[in-house]
Amino acid sequence: SSAIAEMQEALSRQAFHQKMAAIGMTTLRLARDVRRPFSLLKATLDTLDPSRLNKQTLGEAKATVVAAMHDVEKMASEIMDFSREEGLKPAPISVDSLLQEAFKTLEVSAHRPTHIFFKYELSHTRRLWVDAQRLASVLCNLFSNAVRLIESEAENMRFDQVIWIHTRDLLHFEKPMIELTVGNSGPPFSAEDLPKLFEPLALERKQGTLGLGLPLAKKIMHQHLGDIWARNHNLAEPGYRARGVEFIITLPAFCPPAGESDQHEAEEGH
């Protein structure tokens, strides 16, 4: 029955969160330990006077250390975000506004590329009921990963360089939800990696990160009583050629008080 299925899903979520909490405490301690010695090293380098040494050699060495420090800080921030257990602050927000927030973060972190085509098919009719800041960070991570993967194979790609975003309304246990699909024409996942994408520390990380972005996305979606999963995409879409991967996200829709309609989304247009 629907009640049994919903109870089983709730138990599955509880087990997942217990696992995430245990890993979170471990990674939080690791983040603090990693930051301390590198912060000291950076402070020491900042006190050196290049005018009294070989400027070129010292400058190159400092640039290398600063780059390494950037990677360490990025990893530490990733761990801190993953370990954070503060509650959500949900509020009504349109999908358009959420995407705009994600793109703002993307432009600040690694400029939004002009050579990658963004294709939209937005057919939802409601607003979301989510923590916009947390969701924007998840979407930004998906977009930045997509850009990195597409650019890594740009010379070998026989397909269009495209990121597509689709939405639709759906019901989950009779609760209104919005399904958000984020796809890209980068290389597909291997059959071995696909089931492990959302497991913490299960896959080889890319340089400068710990690979916690997708597990963190899963955690945030579950906190919203939603979900995220991935699949390889091999179908040609009308208007462009693409193969790659898709991330399918389900999130709660805003339910206005009885007798009121949610006109905000329609007024904004999408």
Side-chain angles (χ1 to χ4, degrees):
S1 70
S2 176
I4 294 176
E6 190 169 4
M7 183 179 298
Q8 290 175 338
E9 182 174 330
L11 291 174
S12 176
R13 291 181 189 278
Q14 183 179 8
F16 179 86
H17 288 309
Q18 289 174 345
K19 179 181 179 181
M20 294 299 101
I23 295 174
M25 290 302 297
T26 301
T27 54
L28 181 59
R29 289 193 293 268
L30 175 61
R32 291 170 177 167
D33 291 342
V34 167
R35 266 195 171 131
R36 193 174 297 112
F38 282 97
S39 296
L40 178 61
L41 177 60
K42 183 177 184 298
T44 302
L45 288 172
D46 287 341
T47 62
L48 296 177
D49 184 2
S51 64
R52 298 182 181 181
L53 299 170
N54 184 309
K55 292 184 178 180
Q56 181 177 355
T57 302
L58 183 58
E60 292 174 353
K62 185 171 182 178
T64 300
V65 172
V66 169
M69 281 297 307
H70 174 77
D71 286 345
V72 172
E73 286 293 328
K74 188 174 181 180
M75 287 187 286
S77 296
E78 191 174 339
I79 293 171
M80 298 290 280
D81 287 341
F82 185 80
S83 306
R84 188 168 53 180
E85 292 294 339
E86 66 183 38
L88 299 176
K89 299 176 181 178
I93 184 172
S94 70
V95 173
D96 287 355
S97 297
L98 182 62
L99 291 174
Q100 290 171 13
E101 288 300 314
F103 286 135
K104 287 179 184 178
T105 306
L106 179 63
E107 288 166 354
V108 169
S109 62
H111 79 273
R112 183 177 174 181
T114 57
H115 60 282
I116 296 177
F117 176 60
F118 282 75
K119 183 177 185 296
Y120 303 88
E121 290 184 12
L122 309 183
S123 59
H124 62 283
T125 60
R126 297 174 177 268
R127 285 185 289 171
L128 293 162
W129 178 254
V130 297
D131 185 318
Q133 182 178 4
R134 305 297 299 276
L135 260 298
S137 68
V138 170
L139 292 176
C140 178
N141 183 60
L142 291 180
F143 294 147
S144 61
N145 285 346
V147 170
R148 177 181 58 83
L149 291 171
I150 291 173
E151 290 182 338
S152 70
E153 289 202 347
E155 295 182 358
N156 302 321
M157 288 181 65
R158 294 175 294 172
F159 300 91
D160 294 338
Q161 298 181 32
V162 58
I163 294 174
W164 58 90
I165 302 168
H166 300 169
T167 64
R168 68 185 182 103
D169 296 324
L170 58 82
L171 289 176
H172 183 64
F173 296 121
E174 301 183 355
K175 297 176 181 177
M177 308 283 284
I178 293 176
E179 181 182 271
L180 174 65
T181 300
V182 178
N184 71 80
S185 57
F189 297 114
S190 69
E192 180 182 0
D193 287 348
L194 193 57
K196 303 177 183 177
L197 289 177
F198 300 97
E199 296 181 14
L201 312 178
L203 300 179
E204 181 180 354
R205 65 179 178 88
K206 61 181 181 288
Q207 184 176 2
T209 77
L210 289 175
L212 292 176
L214 290 179
L216 176 60
K218 188 83 164 181
K219 176 181 176 180
I220 291 173
M221 297 309 159
H222 280 190
Q223 288 175 329
H224 283 86
L225 301 181
D227 207 349
I228 180 173
W229 65 94
R231 65 189 178 196
N232 287 328
H233 177 89
N234 298 304
L235 301 177
E237 297 286 343
Y240 66 98
R241 298 167 298 129
R243 68 89 177 87
V245 300
E246 286 186 327
F247 292 91
I248 299 90
I249 298 169
T250 57
L251 289 165
F254 172 60
C255 296
E260 298 182 16
S261 61
D262 187 11
Q263 296 294 329
H264 193 275
E265 187 75 34
E267 290 172 358
E268 286 195 7
H270 53 266

